[in-house]
Each structure stands twice: as structure tokens, then as C-alpha cells.
Amino acid sequence: ETGVTQSPTHLIKTRGQQVTLRCSSQSGHNTVSWYQQALGQGPQFIFQYYREEENGRGNFPPRFSGLQFPNYSSELNVNALELDDSALYLCASSLRGAGGNTIYFGEGSWLTVV
Amino acid sequence: AQSVSQHNHHVILSEAASLELGCNYSYGGTVNLFWYVQYPGQHLQLLLKYFSGDPLVKGIKGFEAEFIKSKFSFNLRKPSVQWSDTAEYFCAVNAITGGGNKLTFGTGTQLKVEL
């Protein structure tokens, strides 16, 4: 049990639609990241939020956007869905600070785009 | 940018066999290193981590890993695997570049342990 909760767990969307995925970070964690894990691959970093601002972004187009709220919960929004967006979306939380940081993952949201 | 290589994509072992999964990374600076495990249908779980200090780290379920800085490696080991270790294993690196926590994952190793 990591204390990171995500919703919904599964959803199906049609190509061109928009989707919002939600994440509640572990208590006390001020940094949230989102990852995309396609079938048979390792997770790929989408972006990270710290103190409600984007703080690093991977190789994903602008139609992937996010928000972090004052209570450190977060949303991932994907516009104009494409078939290749079908994947497991993972939220991860951590406490940003000096030295090492352990990153904890939620169970993920399975998105299928048809 | 950092990258992570996991050399074994699929490994099949018999119960009680010893396990070593290779992981190499490319980044010249300070790194944090992790091994995560993903059991079928479950989320990523942290097996072990290295931040600093003793390069031999021990994790849960009898796993250990050794950080060899000169080889940019962080191989995962277990002396005797069990059927319940069947899972996918991911090596990940967090390059320490000013406080951000961004993990770069390898492509994963699918381990199957046969009875």
C-alpha cells in the first residue's frame, strides 16, 4: 500500500475525445509525476508537478497537460485522444528535498482508446 | 539525458535457482537507483533503492542489488527464486539534477519461475 490513489481504474474512450485522470498523493508528498506505460514496455515520464507548477516534462505533445492542486492532488488531461494513447497511466508521488527521494506509484488507470 | 538498459528481456528459471538481472545506465552525475517489481495485474512496487553509502543494498523478499559506479551498473540478485517471484522487473534511474524526481526506466525483464 503506497498511499497513492488513482481514479478511475479503467476507462474506454473514443478517438478524438478528451480524458481526465485523477491522483491523490501520499500524505506529506509535495511532488507528483505522471507516467505512461504501454503494453510490454517500461513506464515513460510524462511530466512532474511541484508546488502546483510543471517542473519537468518528457517527450509528450502539448495535448498532454496536468494540474496539481494545493492539497497536492493532481490531474492528467489528454485531449484529442489517439489510438496509441491506450496505456496504463501511473501517478507517482514523492517528497522533494536534498539527497535521495523514494517515488511511490499508484495502481494506475487503464485507458483504452477505440 | 540518462538511459537505462536491461539486457535480459525474458528469463525462465526453476525454483531455487539463483537470479541475476542486469541493469546499466548512462549518466555521468549523481544518481539514485531503483528496482521495481510488477506482479501480474498489480501496480509497481519498490523492491529496493540505492541513494548513497554501502553499494550493496538489500530489499524486500530476499532481493539485493549492487551498485558498481565504475561499470554504471545496478544488477539485481536473489540466491534462490520462488514461483511467487514470477513478475516483471524494472530498473530505474533518477538523475540528481537540482531536486527533480524523474525516473527513467528500463524496458523491463519478464521473469518466469517454474516449479
Side-chain angles (χ1 to χ4, degrees), chain A residues 35 37 48 94 101-103, chain B residues 32 36 38 49 98-99 101 103:
Chain A
Y35 291 79
Q37 186 177 12
Q48 180 179 102
S94 60
N101 300 281
T102 300
I103 299 167
Chain B
N32 296 155
Y36 286 88
Q38 192 169 34
K49 61 190 178 187
N101 299 331
L103 287 177

Side-chain angles (χ1 to χ4, degrees), chain A residues 56-102:
Chain A
R57 188 178 184 93
N59 190 26
F60 281 81
R63 60 190 184 84
F64 285 78
S65 64
L67 286 172
Q68 185 185 31
F69 300 101
N71 65 355
Y72 302 129
S73 65
S74 175
E75 286 182 356
L76 164 66
N77 298 290
V78 187
N79 293 321
L81 283 167
E82 301 176 359
L83 296 179
D84 285 349
D85 295 333
S86 295
L88 176 67
Y89 288 86
L90 297 166
C91 174
S93 78
S94 60
L95 179 61
R96 178 171 170 165
N101 300 281
T102 300

Side-chain angles (χ1 to χ4, degrees), chain A residues 2 31 33 35 37 40-43 45 48 55 88 90 94-97 99-107, chain B residues 32 34 36 38 41-46 49 51 88 90 94 96 98-108:
Chain A
T2 64
T31 302
S33 304
Y35 291 79
Q37 186 177 12
Q41 297 184 24
F45 175 75
Q48 180 179 102
N55 179 42
L88 176 67
L90 297 166
S94 60
L95 179 61
R96 178 171 170 165
N101 300 281
T102 300
I103 299 167
Y104 297 93
F105 286 85
E107 297 202 8
Chain B
N32 296 155
F34 304 83
Y36 286 88
Q38 192 169 34
Q42 295 189 27
H43 63 284
L44 282 170
Q45 298 177 36
L46 181 67
K49 61 190 178 187
F51 289 163
E88 189 153 21
F90 293 96
N94 178 17
I96 305 303
N101 299 331
K102 171 198 166 185
L103 287 177
T104 299
F105 283 84
T107 52

Side-chain angles (χ1 to χ4, degrees), chain B residues 6-75:
Chain B
Q6 291 183 242
H7 315 296
N8 316 103
H9 298 294
H10 291 89
V11 173
I12 301 175
L13 294 173
S14 299
E15 266 205 330
S18 64
L19 169 73
E20 181 159 2
L21 301 182
C23 172
N24 285 89
Y25 66 93
S26 65
Y27 183 73
T30 303
V31 292
N32 296 155
L33 299 159
F34 304 83
W35 276 96
Y36 286 88
V37 61
Q38 192 169 34
Y39 297 101
Q42 295 189 27
H43 63 284
L44 282 170
Q45 298 177 36
L46 181 67
L47 264 183
L48 47 78
K49 61 190 178 187
Y50 172 79
F51 289 163
S52 63
D54 188 344
L56 183 63
V57 292
K58 295 190 184 299
I60 60 172
K61 305 185 181 187
F63 286 90
E64 64 179 32
E66 185 175 12
F67 170 50
I68 303 179
K69 189 174 181 179
S70 61
K71 295 185 178 180
F72 297 91
S73 70
F74 189 56
N75 292 354

